[in-house]
């Protein structure tokens, strides 16, 4: 089966890149230049959060222009958003929390999906729904590295892998990626909203290239 349960190609590609830029796009005209900038800098992945009116159109524009780009849609809070993101061209979906309905919708349409979980009960709910690649958000609020380590012990043997997001930055990303239960990290530092709005592509490209230094650490993690 594909969808939320497993899609080795998509999740392996995310793990190989290690860092997922989490972005807010307010002007659809900025979407394709942003994606091209990331791809040319060697980081062809993004999570476009559905927090702006331009988000769905931005996903559609990137999908149309860069079909090989690893295009994610985030903040998918309802089954309807899951379906619309897939229809727009998203290659994977992300949610800040766990909804069995959203996981089921993603499974139904074959969209690799990363629900959020920060407690043992939430992780267990994700496992029951068939999801093993999870977002740990907001990481800094829920114990950071220590909170993550506490979940890895009981859930690592079940194949659970986490993508910490929220408070992850260049100063601590390598520590998160060194954890055996982490397959990638998400963060806004690569492409901040202000830089996207202003078209500061050189600054974004520089930060995207800098993420390469984190990848050798990530490649050594077990269970990727």
């Amino acid at each position: 089966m594909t969808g939320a349960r497993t899609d080795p190609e998509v999740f392996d590609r995310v793990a190989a890149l290690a860092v997922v830029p989490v972005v807010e796009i307010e002007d659809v005209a900025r979407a394709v230049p942003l994606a091209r900038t990331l791809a040319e800098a060697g980081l062809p992945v993004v999570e476009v959060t559905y927090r702006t009116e331009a988000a769905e159109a931005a996903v559609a524009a990137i999908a149309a222009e860069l079909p090989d780009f690893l295009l994610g849609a985030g903040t998918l809070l309802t089954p309807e958003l899951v379906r619309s993101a897939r229809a727009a061209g998203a290659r994977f979906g992300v949610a800040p929390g766990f909804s069995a309905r959203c996981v089921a919708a993603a499974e139904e349409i074959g969209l690799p999906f990363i629900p959020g979980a920060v407690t043992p009960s939430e992780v267990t709910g994700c496992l029951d729904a068939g999801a093993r690649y999870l977002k740990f958000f907001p990481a800094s609020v829920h114990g950071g590295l220590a909170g993550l380590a506490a979940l890895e012990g009981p859930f690592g043997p079940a194949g659970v892998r986490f993508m910490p997001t929220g408070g992850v930055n260049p100063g601590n990303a390598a520590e998160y990626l060194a954890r055996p239960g982490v397959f990638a990290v998400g963060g806004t530092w690569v492409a901040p909203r202000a830089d996207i709005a202003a078209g500061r592509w050189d600054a974004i490209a520089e930060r995207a290239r800098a993420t390469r230094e984190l990848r050798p650490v990530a490649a050594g993690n077990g269970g990727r």
Side-chain angles (χ1 to χ4, degrees):
M1 301 181 73
T2 57
R5 296 181 183 276
T6 180
D7 191 318
E9 179 183 357
V10 167
F11 292 132
D12 284 353
R13 286 185 63 192
V14 172
L17 293 169
V19 176
V20 177
V22 179
V23 305
E24 292 185 32
I25 299 176
E26 298 175 301
D27 179 358
V28 68
R30 301 296 191 185
V32 171
L34 170 64
R36 290 193 187 281
T37 295
L38 293 172
E40 291 170 2
L43 189 64
V45 61
V46 75
E47 177 190 329
V48 178
T49 60
Y50 270 45
R51 299 181 183 180
T52 69
E53 293 184 0
E56 184 174 353
V59 169
I62 295 170
E65 292 293 324
L66 298 169
D68 294 329
F69 193 86
L70 193 52
L71 175 58
T75 324
L76 302 182
L77 303 178
T78 67
E80 292 73 25
L81 283 178
V82 171
R83 296 186 186 99
S84 68
R86 180 60 157 176
R91 301 283 298 278
F92 66 95
V94 185
F98 170 62
S99 163
R101 294 175 62 236
C102 287
V103 173
E107 183 71 27
E108 181 181 353
I109 61 177
L111 179 68
F113 194 68
I114 305 170
V118 294
T119 69
S121 293
E122 289 172 348
V123 175
T124 299
C126 291
L127 280 171
D128 286 345
R132 285 174 168 76
Y133 289 83
L134 311 180
K135 182 172 183 173
F136 184 69
F137 172 85
S140 60
V141 174
H142 292 281
L145 288 160
L148 180 67
L151 292 176
E152 287 175 331
F155 294 109
V160 172
R161 298 293 178 264
F162 294 96
M163 182 172 71
T165 308
V168 180
N169 56 60
N172 61 21
E175 291 182 274
Y176 277 105
L177 287 166
R179 297 299 312 173
V182 170
F183 71 98
V185 297
T188 60
W189 84 85
V190 176
R193 177 170 56 182
D195 281 2
I196 296 171
R200 291 192 278 264
W201 309 127
D202 288 346
I204 292 172
E206 182 177 355
R207 289 190 291 268
R209 285 191 291 268
T211 66
R212 297 176 187 175
E213 299 177 7
L214 302 173
R215 298 179 201 175
V217 175
N221 283 357
R224 289 297 182 90

